[in-house]
Amino acid sequence: MSGVPFRATEQELKDFFRDVDEPIRVKVILNRDGRPSGDALAEFDSEEAVDSAMTKDRECMGSRYVVLTREGTNKY
């Protein structure tokens, strides 16, 4: 996830996906100074959940729109 509001909490990131499929885990990525970078990771429990979550690509979270990208790992 990129374009995440800098003040977004992990719970707010989970809530972003509430109407499609809630992630099992989210993590806010911090920059070198320990501040939120505007990026985050969201993990889902199935490929179908990822497909549902991807429908949220470029939707707004606050005043910013969030860009979703699939991670190229074995995990969803």
Side-chain angles (χ1 to χ4, degrees), residues 25-42:
R25 182 179 14 242
V26 295
K27 180 177 180 174
V28 174
I29 306 299
L30 304 177
N31 65 20
R32 292 182 194 196
D33 297 326
R35 297 181 186 153
S37 66
D39 295 328
L41 299 173

Side-chain angles (χ1 to χ4, degrees), residues 32-70:
R32 292 182 194 196
D33 297 326
R35 297 181 186 153
S37 66
D39 295 328
L41 299 173
E43 184 178 339
F44 296 87
D45 63 358
S46 69
E47 186 65 31
E48 293 78 22
V50 172
D51 291 339
S52 292
M54 290 302 294
T55 65
K56 303 286 285 182
D57 185 34
R58 299 189 189 272
E59 283 195 16
C60 288
M61 184 175 193
S63 62
R64 300 184 65 169
Y65 71 91
V66 177
V67 177
L68 302 179
T69 307
R70 288 178 185 257

Side-chain angles (χ1 to χ4, degrees), residues 4-39:
V4 173
F6 295 112
R7 294 181 185 231
T9 65
E10 290 183 357
Q11 185 59 52
E12 289 171 326
L13 294 172
K14 285 184 176 183
D15 292 346
F16 177 74
F17 293 105
R18 183 182 311 161
D19 61 336
V20 288
D21 206 325
E22 188 171 331
I24 57 173
R25 182 179 14 242
V26 295
K27 180 177 180 174
V28 174
I29 306 299
L30 304 177
N31 65 20
R32 292 182 194 196
D33 297 326
R35 297 181 186 153
S37 66
D39 295 328

